[in-house]
Amino acid sequence: MKTNYYLTKDGVLRRKENTVYFINKEEKRALPISKIYAIYAYGNLSFTSGVASYLSQKGVPIHFFNNYGFYEGSLYPRETLISGDVTIHQAEHHLDADKRLYLARRFIEGATQNILKNLKYYCSSNSSIEKYIGRIEKELPKIEGYTDIPQLMSVEGHIRDTYYSALDEIFPEEFRIGERVKRPPNNKTNTLISFGNSLMYSTVLTEIYNTQLNPTISYLHEPFVRRFSLSLDVAEIFKPIIVDRVIFKLVNKKMLDDSHFVGELGDMLLSDTGRKLFLQNYHDRLSTTIKHKGLGREVSYQRLIRLELYKLVKHVLGAQEYKPLVMWW
Amino acid sequence: MYVIAVYDVNVDRVNKVRIFLKQYLNWVQNSVFEGELTKVELKTIEGSVKDLIDQDEDSVRIYILRSDKFLQTIELGTSKVEISEII
């Protein structure tokens, strides 16, 4: 089993004795090369060209995040899984307005259904959530009605706003979201959401790397230059399943205190300990396994992302229509 | 599966074995490695280590556990390394 490594300290990555070493003043750690799935770098990381080429050779991407936990970029290894056939069909589904709409709708539908699952879970203990569920369910049929992408995006925005208002009913006062504010996030929960979402995008990107899909051709989001927008599309489905649930756990189990944040209201960041706590819980969540109905065996949440991408490949190749993953558990 | 590999190899070859195992497992102590492996990786290790050592003189033992859930460790003294994905 390969695993993700998260580097929160400053240091150097070096190739030595055919494996990768993380070195800084206090420590020297060997990361077994065949165990590295992806590296998430949060500190100031220097690395030698030796390690860069070695990791590329082994197909290990490194994702870089800045001080704020925002995604900065990736060292994306040379694509070894390429298929002209898939790329052409993927582009065809983008260029054909109807085909693109179909996929864009599925991504929003999947995200919404998973959001509803989260809310319904809390509904049993807090009935004030019910009205929000009703409101979101009313938005759902609109997805089929709208025929242009910006309108779809605004429905998605509405749903998320309602979702966050519902969460405010459950969360203790200091964790109320109020309004979603990014760059920089202004309060504790906004900080957690931003941090988690950035992490989610790169996790999806890592999985895209392991399929034949091209990460720049997207459906719901516009394929901007310099962005892997397909990972934004697919992340929509997984944010409620993975990121939001990590946040619920941290908040509801009262695992967070003031030492996990730095800065003041209006400009808030996770501190080093906060970052580590979040990463640990995120990592545990990704490695949690559930019994897959179709496959009949245990799969991890991380694997579910890959399976979702395979479904997308099948869809663009015309083998099987894409239906988004909705939590069945 | 989770494995613990210990070796007693002549100094002439010990470094080769150490460097090789480093690519797959975490170093815990001198001559001791442990970590999660797949069946294929275990076979690879078996094959390669056999080539690296002298069959008449050296010994490498690999203890196999179904999962690290079955592993309980007691550590006395100071721990040499910490194995964690978050650094």
Side-chain angles (χ1 to χ4, degrees):
Chain A
M1 276 293 288
K2 293 193 176 196
T3 177
N4 293 322
Y5 281 89
Y6 308 84
L7 308 175
T8 61
K9 293 179 185 158
D10 297 350
V12 184
L13 272 190
R14 192 181 291 279
R15 175 180 179 171
K16 206 178 129 188
E17 295 169 345
N18 262 338
T19 194
V20 177
Y21 275 78
F22 175 78
I23 302 166
N24 67 12
K25 274 185 196 138
E26 294 107 46
E27 62 180 334
K28 193 171 146 196
R29 280 270 297 269
L31 317 177
I33 181 73
S34 27
K35 299 283 109 185
I36 311 176
Y37 191 65
I39 296 175
Y40 296 81
Y42 283 90
N44 269 325
L45 185 69
S46 320
F47 52 90
T48 60
S49 63
V51 89
S53 62
Y54 197 42
L55 289 174
S56 293
Q57 201 183 317
K58 299 281 179 186
V60 179
I62 311 181
H63 306 293
F64 298 97
F65 300 86
N66 67 11
N67 238 344
Y68 299 91
F70 290 132
Y71 176 70
E72 293 268 84
S74 302
L75 180 75
Y76 199 67
R78 187 172 64 88
E79 287 271 9
T80 48
L81 288 169
I82 45 170
S83 154
D85 199 28
V86 172
T87 313
I88 289 168
H89 283 97
Q90 214 190 323
E92 184 207 340
H93 279 257
H94 176 84
L95 293 170
D96 185 315
D98 287 339
K99 289 179 177 171
R100 180 176 173 188
L101 267 176
Y102 177 83
L103 282 172
R105 282 179 183 139
R106 293 294 80 76
F107 289 130
I108 296 182
E109 185 196 317
T112 311
Q113 297 287 7
N114 287 322
I115 281 173
L116 285 171
K117 283 268 177 180
N118 277 353
L119 290 181
K120 280 177 185 158
Y121 174 79
Y122 284 111
C123 197
S124 54
S125 56
N126 192 333
S127 55
S128 57
I129 304 290
E130 223 156 305
K131 58 176 190 280
Y132 297 98
I133 295 180
R135 251 186 260 170
I136 293 179
E137 276 171 345
K138 228 183 275 168
E139 295 276 334
L140 257 179
K142 287 189 195 164
I143 298 174
E144 295 304 318
Y146 287 135
T147 50
D148 76 6
I149 300 284
Q151 276 177 328
L152 275 178
M153 294 282 270
S154 78
V155 177
E156 200 251 327
H158 262 291
I159 291 171
R160 279 210 165 258
D161 285 344
T162 319
Y163 176 48
Y164 290 139
S165 317
L167 294 182
D168 277 352
E169 303 264 346
I170 317 163
F171 282 177
E173 202 182 334
E174 58 166 333
F175 285 101
R176 301 257 157 88
I177 305 162
E179 201 185 340
R180 178 84 179 100
V181 178
K182 305 169 203 172
R183 296 189 178 258
N186 63 345
N187 60 31
K188 289 178 177 172
T189 309
N190 270 325
T191 304
L192 294 170
I193 296 172
S194 290
F195 188 83
N197 287 350
S198 290
L199 199 54
M200 193 72 244
Y201 296 142
S202 16
T203 306
V204 175
L205 182 61
T206 311
E207 295 303 324
I208 294 177
Y209 174 72
N210 287 298
T211 68
Q212 275 99 349
L213 289 166
N214 183 316
T216 57
I217 304 175
S218 57
Y219 303 98
L220 176 59
H221 295 81
E222 291 299 331
F224 284 115
V225 188
R226 280 180 248 120
R227 252 180 115 174
F228 294 123
S229 32
L230 184 61
S231 60
L232 305 185
D233 282 5
V234 178
E236 292 294 340
I237 295 172
F238 288 95
K239 280 188 223 165
I241 305 180
I242 298 172
V243 178
D244 297 351
R245 294 224 158 178
V246 168
I247 296 173
F248 296 163
K249 181 183 170 194
L250 294 176
V251 172
N252 292 335
K253 294 204 166 169
K254 300 190 171 54
M255 294 162 81
L256 292 162
D257 58 49
D258 286 339
S259 75
H260 295 114
F261 296 92
V262 285
E264 54 206 37
L265 281 180
D267 181 11
M268 202 145 234
L269 285 179
L270 278 171
S271 69
D272 279 354
T273 48
R275 237 170 14 187
K276 273 190 194 164
L277 181 72
F278 194 102
L279 290 171
Q280 184 66 59
N281 280 283
Y282 180 83
H283 181 75
D284 292 346
R285 182 93 188 142
L286 276 187
S287 3
T288 307
T289 57
I290 48 149
K291 181 103 172 173
H292 192 280
K293 279 193 298 190
L295 296 173
R297 61 177 168 85
E298 296 276 320
V299 290
S300 67
Y301 283 74
Q302 176 143 351
R303 191 71 189 175
L304 280 178
I305 305 175
R306 179 95 69 91
L307 294 172
E308 198 65 12
L309 295 167
Y310 288 154
K311 278 174 14 192
L312 204 56
V313 173
K314 279 192 182 161
H315 176 83
V316 296
L317 294 179
Q320 197 174 36
E321 204 166 70
Y322 176 70
K323 292 264 182 300
L325 169 90
V326 178
M327 279 187 273
W328 61 79
W329 55 93
Chain B
M1 69 189 84
Y2 195 82
V3 309
I4 301 168
V6 297
Y7 52 88
D8 191 341
V9 174
N10 190 298
V11 268
D12 301 336
R13 294 174 294 274
V14 70
N15 226 6
K16 281 187 184 160
V17 175
R18 182 181 64 84
I19 288 168
F20 176 77
L21 288 177
K22 221 164 208 181
Q23 296 176 40
Y24 293 88
L25 297 164
N26 293 305
W27 181 85
V28 260
Q29 270 184 11
N30 287 341
S31 311
V32 183
F33 280 88
E34 62 178 64
E36 190 77 33
L37 288 184
T38 61
K39 277 183 195 162
V40 178
E41 284 171 331
L42 181 66
K43 284 280 166 218
T44 319
I45 291 179
E46 276 178 43
S48 308
V49 169
K50 229 184 256 172
D51 292 341
L52 291 173
I53 59 172
D54 180 338
Q55 303 279 354
D56 304 323
E57 205 185 335
D58 305 331
S59 154
V60 177
R61 279 180 84 88
I62 300 176
Y63 300 86
I64 301 166
L65 294 148
R66 291 229 325 262
S67 135
D68 62 344
K69 280 178 200 138
F70 300 107
L71 174 74
Q72 219 187 337
T73 41
I74 299 170
E75 196 158 31
L76 308 171
T78 41
S79 184
K80 293 223 167 182
V81 278
E82 183 202 358
I83 305 171
S84 130
E85 296 83 12
I86 293 144
I87 302 170

